[in-house]
Amino acid sequence: MNINRIFCIGRNYAEHVKELGNEPDASCVVFMKPPSCVVPVGRPIVLPRGRGPVHHEAELVVRLSGGGADVAPEQALRHVGHLTLGLDLTLRELQNELKKKGAPWELCKAFDGSAPLGDWVRYEGQDVQALEFSCTVGGTLRQRGNTRDMLFPVARQIHILSKTWRLADGDLIYTGTPAGVGPLLPGDRVALESAAIGRFEWTCE
Ligand code: MG
């Protein structure tokens, strides 16, 4: 399935906002990754070397099947076509340096391999604000979240993005991560799982 653009929402779960020492914001953090960052299931995650820790951020990912501009929140979920889970991989120390400088985040967020992406399940009216999901590394639970805890629900994310971009088929949204982020190391097996979506696993190199 084609990927048009990858939008990512930051600071969307209160406990994760706290663990990184950030303040919750009245507006959500938005950034992008190029589609070339995607690592499908079955490919290894090649971790960047010599640039500090690479953190996993487990996230619900939605794929839009349409969209347009200025989408009303009440109409927004009509444009969701598919769901999956993904990892918003982050070079955390570099991100902290970039934050201090007020510099953009591409170097820490949009590197090659930074967007592992599970297989799609069709969106058929599932409650996207009641999905439990987890991230385990080497069988150890690192993150467990429920989309009910989002500060900016999916419909609102679509509404917000559509005020800046005319949304289209193939646009993805990485919808933010719950608490428990931490480093990945070469040799790690990282798995994302949700009863409603599936289980997806990658090996880190
Ligand atoms: Mg994230």
Side-chain angles (χ1 to χ4, degrees):
M1 229 177 308
N2 78 304
I3 298 174
N4 189 33
R5 294 169 290 192
I6 304 178
F7 299 103
C8 303
I9 303 296
R11 300 182 195 168
N12 200 22
Y13 290 79
E15 290 301 314
H16 170 65
V17 174
K18 268 193 237 165
E19 77 178 340
L20 293 187
N22 292 311
E23 293 294 327
D25 212 312
S27 58
C28 59
V29 172
V30 176
F31 58 95
M32 294 172 82
K33 300 188 186 228
S36 51
C37 292
V38 166
V39 183
V41 173
R43 305 283 304 172
I45 295 172
V46 181
L47 298 170
R49 297 298 164 94
R51 296 167 67 200
V54 184
H55 277 196
H56 55 80
E57 295 190 0
E59 312 200 356
L60 170 72
V61 183
V62 304
R63 183 186 182 281
L64 303 183
S65 55
D70 294 317
V71 177
E74 312 79 60
Q75 306 295 324
L77 293 182
R78 286 185 184 190
H79 302 296
V80 175
H82 293 82
L83 309 173
T84 193
L85 299 172
L87 287 165
D88 164 21
L89 296 183
T90 304
L91 283 156
R92 190 68 70 199
E93 282 179 11
L94 180 55
Q95 185 191 32
N96 291 337
E97 286 169 28
L98 295 169
K99 279 184 190 168
K100 273 186 219 151
K101 288 192 218 164
W105 285 2
E106 277 84 353
L107 292 172
C108 67
K109 286 283 199 182
F111 52 89
D112 282 353
S114 61
L117 186 68
D119 299 327
W120 297 112
V121 297
R122 194 177 293 280
Y123 172 63
E124 294 170 319
Q126 301 94 318
D127 185 351
V128 291
Q129 299 311 141
L131 295 172
E132 187 168 281
F133 62 101
S134 67
C135 173
T136 56
V137 178
T140 302
L141 180 67
R142 295 274 189 92
Q143 292 183 272
R144 185 192 297 283
N146 191 303
T147 56
R148 76 165 98 83
D149 298 321
M150 285 183 180
L151 301 173
F152 296 86
V154 174
R156 192 143 167 242
Q157 296 177 25
I158 293 170
H159 166 69
I160 290 166
L161 292 171
S162 75
K163 290 196 274 188
T164 299
W165 295 276
R166 177 174 292 279
L167 299 178
D169 179 61
D171 285 339
L172 311 191
I173 308 173
Y174 277 64
T175 61
T177 199
V181 301
L184 293 173
L185 298 170
D188 279 345
R189 293 280 291 168
V190 56
L192 300 178
E193 187 164 10
S194 170
I197 296 174
R199 184 176 193 279
F200 313 109
E201 197 172 25
W202 293 264
T203 301
C204 300
E205 291 183 350

